[in-house]
Amino acid sequence: MSIILDHVNYIYGGDTPLAVKALDDICLTIPDGQFLGIIGHTGSGKSTLVQHLNGLLKASSGHIYFDGQDIYEKGYDLKALRSKVGLVFQYPEHQLFEIDVFTDVCFGPKNLGLSQSEVQYRAYEALKSVGLPEDLYYQSPFELSGGQKRRVAIAGTLAMKPQVLILDEPTAGLDPRGRDEILDLIKKLQTESGMTILLVSHSMEDVAEYVDRILVINKGSILLDGVPREVFRHYQELEQIGLAAPQVTYIMHALREKGLEVDDSVTTIDEAVDQIAGLFRR
Amino acid sequence: MSIVKTKDLVFEYIRRDEEGNVEGITTAVDHVNLTVREGSFIAILGHNGSGKSTLAKHINAILDPTEGTVWVDGMDTADPEKLWDIRQRAGMVFQNPDNQIIGQVVEEDVGFGPENMGVPTEEIWQRVEESLRAVGMYEYRKYSPNKLSGGQKQRVSIAGVLAMHPKVIVLDEPTAMLDPSGRKEVIRAVRALNQVEGVTVILITHYMEEIVHADQVFVMDQGRIAMEGTPREVFSRVEELKSLRLDVPQVTLLAYELKKRGLELPDGILTTEELVKALCG
């Protein structure tokens, strides 16, 4: 089972002189359990793309299949789709509103019409999985730190038990440790519960470190699609569209230019350490 | 000469419950002594909740100290008579460019500050032009800010501050919401302000690569200054930074890990060039 996008187009302001093509003939298959990174400069269409996947935006033309079913077919249950595809927006903590953390996380599953005991069980499980200390469950969400608030917001989506979790820049504004904690948590959700993860990010270093596959979006279409190594090999093209490779890739390029026999498609620190240390041991 | 100086600065938040009863007191800034030399480039690091933004808000008198004193260009920020002078001397740029731009046209937005200061019209236009040129946005002066990228909008925000002819600019995570090229544009503009225009810069950020060129780095933790030194000195202390929830630039981390594997490298390598030189001779 998977998500398939078949020639998806999206036009803002369709019948007006201001019409803008935000998505241009996107064809894409996302297999179950994949960790997919989506990168692109501001305004490239990446947020528009992910908002199609749970039916928040409807394609101007083309089809989207979720688990084999066309989500635009008459009678398709979009509400059910939204509980299967969880979307965590940028700065999700701005959407916290309840009097305490636990009630806030209950909001999603409650609206699915589940029994109270099931709602509470799910909220508890979700808060546990994001690693929030139990003594904070009955505090006001507004008294938590930035990183804690963001965990609560993610728990709110997890409590709906989605099969697919989409996160739009989940680490913006967090300190380095907070950033690592959130990304480790997301990785764990993928490896332990087999969740499909879509991560929209501006940090090339994070994407290189965590994802299985990268999608580069530019002007509403897919420019590059592949494993991090392959994609960051095209660092010059990436620079032209406002992106970059991880700093470590540039270091490897510089070393190679100086005649060191290192692999310049390396994208993570661990790989680079092994390469360079190996070279100097010989 | 110091442009910003704090002496035993303390700032306390009073937490109240729903009925308004005092629940407790949080000390966000705890006896901070800081001296910023005129014309220097200062970086402040620290995890979320370490007090760095609270400290920054004292520099243009958005917050008043609970205890201690803050001087900006020799003026005490607690003196209400000096408020407008202080805000003109010390400008601030925040994280989200969309919250800081009010004009319909770029040049109008940049002119807003000097206009409110009562600068004569002729001079306003002159200042708008100079400021937009300084951040490399002059060609966009007739644009609607809506049509600009995040990095461009943020540079317009900086120009807006610059047009007030401040002596010091405080930037509170100006690149947190930007893509890689936007981040680069903003940092380049900030460095130019410092080096070409001689404006004192105080940069708060979570991106370690952005501050390798700073003159001095302060690391905050629990409202206090926990570490202080040049970027090289601070980034040499990898484990200590990690224990404060921070990080080092990728090149510094790579050199540190290689050193652990037995390679002979100097501490605190900050740029790719330095590492290449150390490895290839």
Side-chain angles (χ1 to χ4, degrees), chain B residues 167-226:
Chain B
K167 288 194 169 177
V168 50
I169 293 190
V170 183
L171 303 109
D172 193 354
E173 294 193 52
T175 58
M177 300 180 78
L178 306 183
D179 56 33
S181 64
R183 283 206 298 266
K184 239 184 261 173
E185 286 166 21
V186 168
I187 293 304
R188 205 178 293 142
V190 169
R191 284 188 68 198
L193 285 192
N194 178 245
Q195 291 177 340
V196 183
E197 318 275 325
V199 180
T200 310
V201 168
I202 301 179
L203 175 66
I204 298 177
T205 184
H206 285 317
Y207 289 104
M208 305 297 143
E209 308 79 44
E210 292 176 357
I211 60 157
V212 296
H213 299 289
D215 296 312
Q216 209 178 2
V217 180
F218 295 94
V219 181
M220 290 195 65
D221 180 42
Q222 297 183 348
R224 295 171 198 220
I225 292 176

Side-chain angles (χ1 to χ4, degrees), chain B:
Chain B
M1 208 201 114
S2 72
I3 181 79
V4 175
K5 190 175 162 68
T6 72
K7 187 165 184 291
D8 295 324
L9 173 64
V10 176
F11 185 79
E12 290 172 345
Y13 286 102
I14 294 177
R15 295 196 315 276
R16 292 175 191 275
D17 65 11
E18 278 154 45
E19 277 87 45
N21 303 314
V22 174
E23 272 189 333
I25 294 171
T26 307
T27 308
V29 177
D30 192 1
H31 293 92
V32 166
N33 289 295
L34 187 78
T35 304
V36 178
R37 200 167 32 79
E38 188 159 5
S40 60
F41 186 148
I42 296 295
I44 303 180
L45 302 178
H47 57 80
N48 296 117
S50 61
K52 54 193 189 320
S53 294
T54 309
L55 172 64
K57 284 179 187 150
H58 280 85
I59 298 174
N60 72 345
I62 294 177
L63 294 176
D64 264 348
T66 309
E67 275 173 44
T69 317
V70 179
W71 293 274
V72 172
D73 204 13
M75 295 176 284
D76 184 342
T77 62
D79 181 354
E81 304 257 304
K82 294 277 199 284
L83 194 62
W84 297 108
D85 288 329
I86 289 167
R87 295 219 172 128
Q88 186 219 317
R89 238 42 87 78
M92 232 173 139
V93 176
F94 298 94
Q95 202 179 91
N96 189 344
D98 291 324
N99 296 346
Q100 299 170 72
I101 293 182
I102 40 141
Q104 303 290 314
V105 181
V106 165
E107 58 184 3
E108 221 173 77
D109 186 79
V110 175
F112 182 78
E115 195 180 350
N116 274 291
M117 286 159 52
V119 174
T121 313
E122 193 88 337
E123 197 192 328
I124 294 178
W125 287 112
Q126 207 181 326
R127 287 189 182 198
V128 167
E129 183 181 334
E130 283 167 6
S131 309
L132 282 170
R133 282 192 196 280
V135 299
M137 287 297 292
Y138 184 66
E139 301 111 87
Y140 296 91
R141 65 192 181 282
K142 300 284 185 201
Y143 276 55
S144 157
N146 297 326
K147 301 277 174 201
L148 302 179
S149 72
Q152 290 171 331
K153 281 187 212 167
Q154 201 61 304
R155 284 189 283 156
V156 171
S157 309
I158 295 172
V161 172
L162 200 58
M164 294 166 73
H165 285 182
K167 288 194 169 177
V168 50
I169 293 190
V170 183
L171 303 109
D172 193 354
E173 294 193 52
T175 58
M177 300 180 78
L178 306 183
D179 56 33
S181 64
R183 283 206 298 266
K184 239 184 261 173
E185 286 166 21
V186 168
I187 293 304
R188 205 178 293 142
V190 169
R191 284 188 68 198
L193 285 192
N194 178 245
Q195 291 177 340
V196 183
E197 318 275 325
V199 180
T200 310
V201 168
I202 301 179
L203 175 66
I204 298 177
T205 184
H206 285 317
Y207 289 104
M208 305 297 143
E209 308 79 44
E210 292 176 357
I211 60 157
V212 296
H213 299 289
D215 296 312
Q216 209 178 2
V217 180
F218 295 94
V219 181
M220 290 195 65
D221 180 42
Q222 297 183 348
R224 295 171 198 220
I225 292 176
M227 292 168 78
E228 144 173 27
T230 62
R232 197 178 305 282
E233 286 162 1
V234 169
F235 286 142
S236 296
R237 292 146 76 181
V238 179
E239 295 303 323
E240 205 178 326
L241 280 168
K242 286 194 172 173
S243 73
L244 294 172
R245 301 181 61 94
L246 298 176
D247 212 346
V248 295
Q250 274 207 323
V251 63
T252 313
L253 184 63
L254 177 59
Y256 174 78
E257 293 293 335
L258 286 171
K259 229 180 134 163
K260 278 208 285 195
R261 294 279 191 99
L263 265 66
E264 276 193 36
L265 290 168
D267 274 332
I269 281 184
L270 295 177
T271 63
T272 303
E273 295 75 50
E274 284 174 26
L275 180 65
V276 170
K277 210 172 153 211
L279 284 174
C280 304

Side-chain angles (χ1 to χ4, degrees), chain A:
Chain A
M1 290 296 148
S2 55
I3 302 172
I4 298 171
L5 281 78
D6 184 26
H7 297 285
V8 169
N9 288 286
Y10 185 74
I11 298 165
Y12 281 106
D15 301 321
T16 71
L18 297 170
V20 174
K21 203 162 197 189
L23 291 183
D24 190 359
D25 201 35
I26 301 270
C27 293
L28 174 69
T29 302
I30 307 166
D32 264 357
Q34 190 168 62
F35 195 151
L36 176 68
I38 302 178
I39 60 178
H41 66 81
T42 326
S44 58
K46 41 190 200 322
S47 298
T48 307
L49 174 65
V50 296
Q51 287 179 31
H52 276 77
L53 302 180
N54 70 349
L56 273 184
L57 291 178
K58 188 172 186 289
S60 309
S61 64
H63 294 274
I64 295 176
Y65 302 92
F66 184 79
D67 282 354
Q69 280 183 296
D70 187 340
I71 68 167
Y72 297 143
E73 205 152 86
K74 235 188 184 161
Y76 186 85
D77 189 354
L78 274 178
K79 206 176 158 207
L81 176 71
R82 291 194 181 126
S83 73
K84 285 183 219 155
V85 180
L87 182 55
V88 179
F89 288 100
Q90 248 182 66
Y91 294 87
E93 61 274 22
H94 294 170
Q95 295 166 44
L96 300 174
F97 68 99
E98 280 284 7
I99 52 163
D100 64 50
V101 166
F102 194 80
T103 320
D104 204 286
V105 176
C106 285
F107 183 78
K110 205 163 92 189
N111 279 289
L112 292 178
L114 302 167
S115 71
Q116 202 193 353
S117 59
E118 174 70 12
V119 167
Q120 292 185 342
Y121 177 66
R122 282 190 177 198
Y124 179 74
E125 253 192 342
L127 280 167
K128 231 180 142 83
S129 75
V130 299
L132 194 79
E134 269 183 55
D135 53 323
L136 298 178
Y137 287 11
Y138 294 100
Q139 287 223 8
S140 160
F142 305 108
E143 287 185 0
L144 307 182
S145 75
Q148 288 169 336
K149 277 192 223 172
R150 200 151 304 174
R151 278 155 192 267
V152 173
I154 293 174
T157 303
L158 290 179
M160 318 262 289
K161 293 218 170 170
Q163 287 168 247
V164 180
L165 183 65
I166 304 172
L167 304 111
D168 197 349
E169 289 194 61
T171 60
L174 294 186
D175 59 47
R177 172 91 63 86
R179 187 191 68 203
D180 293 347
E181 285 169 355
I182 294 282
L183 290 169
D184 287 342
L185 158 71
I186 296 166
K187 185 77 189 169
K188 210 174 99 191
L189 290 171
Q190 183 216 8
T191 50
E192 288 180 7
S193 7
M195 220 178 263
T196 308
I197 311 278
L198 273 71
L199 173 73
V200 176
S201 177
H202 278 156
S203 165
M204 305 300 127
E205 284 76 14
D206 292 349
V207 169
E209 181 87 33
Y210 286 91
V211 309
D212 303 323
R213 170 185 174 195
I214 297 177
L215 209 59
V216 182
I217 306 287
N218 186 44
K219 292 185 183 160
S221 51
I222 298 173
L223 182 73
L224 294 166
D225 179 358
V227 297
R229 255 169 194 275
E230 268 169 45
V231 167
F232 288 126
R233 213 186 288 259
H234 299 268
Y235 67 99
Q236 281 154 331
E237 272 167 80
L238 291 174
E239 282 169 14
Q240 276 165 15
I241 59 161
L243 300 174
Q247 196 188 12
V248 65
T249 307
Y250 291 100
I251 299 170
M252 298 307 261
H253 277 286
L255 289 173
R256 209 178 153 83
E257 260 170 43
K258 285 279 173 183
L260 277 195
E261 294 274 318
V262 289
D263 175 1
D264 54 11
S265 66
V266 158
T267 57
T268 66
I269 296 278
D270 289 348
E271 292 172 302
V273 171
D274 284 342
Q275 285 262 334
I276 300 172
L279 212 59
F280 278 83
R281 201 171 295 131
R282 261 186 274 141

